[in-house]
Amino acid sequence: ASDRFRGPTITLGWHEYIPFLFYLRGYCNISMLVSRHKDAEILHQAARHMGYGTVRGSTNRGGSGAMRELQRKSETTNLGITPDGPRGPRRTMAAGAIYLSSRQQIPLVPIGMGYDRPFRIKSAWDQFAVPRPYSRARAISGPRIQIPPKLDRDGIEHYRQKVEQMLNRLTREAEYW
């Protein structure tokens, strides 16, 4: 949304706020990582309807193929990843986004999101947030985080923790606004 924007980037947001991203910026040159699970088919169709590209795969289903596809797509588009999806644990980041950022030298941009008193689906692993009608929502973008190239496992874990903490801080700030 800024004239100064230079991409590509990997945008990160928690799984429980996926609908917020659809509302925020449809048709904006982003490819989202979407699980291959049958429950994610609805998300896949909604994302395509809203103008997002999709890459299908997750840690347990087609992860290496999805990683290769994300690397290929990063040459022409921005990427969107929910780093705790599709199964959690809630607000705990998996290492894939850090690895991809390090490998491709694409900065991460964490976005904290929150709704005003949302309905929560308590039975869902992520306590999925559903905004109330006419409620307010807030998104807070963090700074770009450039991950160093060619990180080893310890380096990936260090940055995973750092980015997870920032994403959680931004999310709490957005929720308590």
Side-chain angles (χ1 to χ4, degrees), residues 136-153:
R136 292 179 182 228
R138 183 177 188 195
I140 302 173
S141 177
R144 288 178 185 229
I145 303 168
Q146 187 66 56
I147 305 297
K150 300 177 185 173
L151 289 178
D152 61 6
R153 287 183 189 263

Side-chain angles (χ1 to χ4, degrees), residues 17 20 23-24 112-120 129-139 173-177:
Y17 287 111
F20 192 118
Y23 176 75
L24 189 63
M113 294 167 271
Y115 303 132
D116 178 31
R117 298 174 292 118
F119 296 110
R120 291 279 181 179
V130 179
R132 295 173 188 268
Y134 307 105
S135 66
R136 292 179 182 228
R138 183 177 188 195
E173 196 175 316
E175 288 175 334
Y176 293 116
W177 148 76

